Amino acid sequence: MSVVTCEQVTKTYQMGKTSLQALRGVSLEIEPGEFLCLAGPSGSGKTTLLNLIGCLDKPSSGQIAVENKSTEKLSAFQLAQLRRHRIGFIFQTFNLIPVLTAYENVEMPLVLRRIDAAERERKVMQMLEALGIRELHKHRPDELSGGQQQRVAIARALVTEPAIVLADEPTANLDSETGLAIMELMHALNRERGTTFVFSSHDPKVMERATRVVRLKDGLIVNGVKS
Ligand SMILES: Nc1ncnc2c1ncn2[C@@H]1O[C@H](COP(=O)(O)OP(=O)(O)O)[C@@H](O)[C@H]1O
Ligand SMILES: [Mg+2]
């Protein structure tokens, strides 16, 4: 069973009278446990595809299924449930809530899922421990380095034990050494927990870590095999 299936997915952005076809027929199957890199130059459609897989946006045509559920058949509420329960997001700019501590940022998705306080504390501290930032749990984002903030963001994405984690250029705002450490960490979590990761990058050093590289160019897949 695939975690994600995309069939002939297109996405056209309409801007007034002009339209831009960001994806022009993408078909892709992502298997459980993959550590998959969406590669391609800026503007090739990586963010658009991640947003569609993550049900943040809808394709103009074609089909996307997450865990064999066809997303076009789901209501707005069902899509929100799917995002909340099965998908974790990691963003290029971390997107932590500035007024909350590291602990509270990681706890947030568990609060939304109405997990009780004792269980939340156990899960949050376990994730912070796994990411090596337990001692930073009381710090707010502005008291953390970029690498530490991205670790908090990874903890937040993983704390709900999602089936799939989507990461849009997760290392682009980090220096290369910190970026590679973050990749190592994500890969270790992928191996240990079996969580499927799909991340985008145009950095060859980051692509090297992937178990499969899917290359996009002008909204089309140009190869799907690691070379
Ligand atoms: N919200 C939007 N409105 C209009 N055009 C967009 C929007 N988002 C992306 N695009 C365009 O779609 C194309 C693909 O963008 P994107 O998916 O962001 O590529 P990448 O992440 O690979 O840089 C680009 O030409 C971009 O300018
Ligand atoms: Mg992008």
Side-chain angles (χ1 to χ4, degrees), residues 23-78:
L23 295 176
R24 297 188 290 143
V26 166
S27 297
L28 177 64
E29 293 224 359
I30 303 172
E31 302 300 327
E34 283 204 79
F35 194 65
L36 187 147
C37 179
L38 287 179
S42 179
S44 56
K46 304 183 296 297
T47 297
T48 300
L49 185 55
L50 284 171
N51 288 347
L52 294 178
I53 293 172
C55 308
L56 295 171
D57 204 354
K58 293 190 169 189
S60 304
S61 69
Q63 308 270 345
I64 296 182
V66 177
E67 292 189 308
N68 288 350
K69 284 194 200 75
S70 174
T71 56
E72 71 175 344
K73 298 202 182 82
L74 302 180
S75 66
F77 175 76
Q78 288 171 316

Side-chain angles (χ1 to χ4, degrees), residues 79-98:
L79 286 173
Q81 291 290 99
L82 184 65
R83 281 198 300 271
R84 188 174 293 171
H85 291 272
R86 308 305 296 156
I87 300 169
F89 291 94
I90 299 167
F91 302 92
Q92 184 175 336
T93 49
F94 324 133
N95 288 16
L96 299 175
I97 300 175

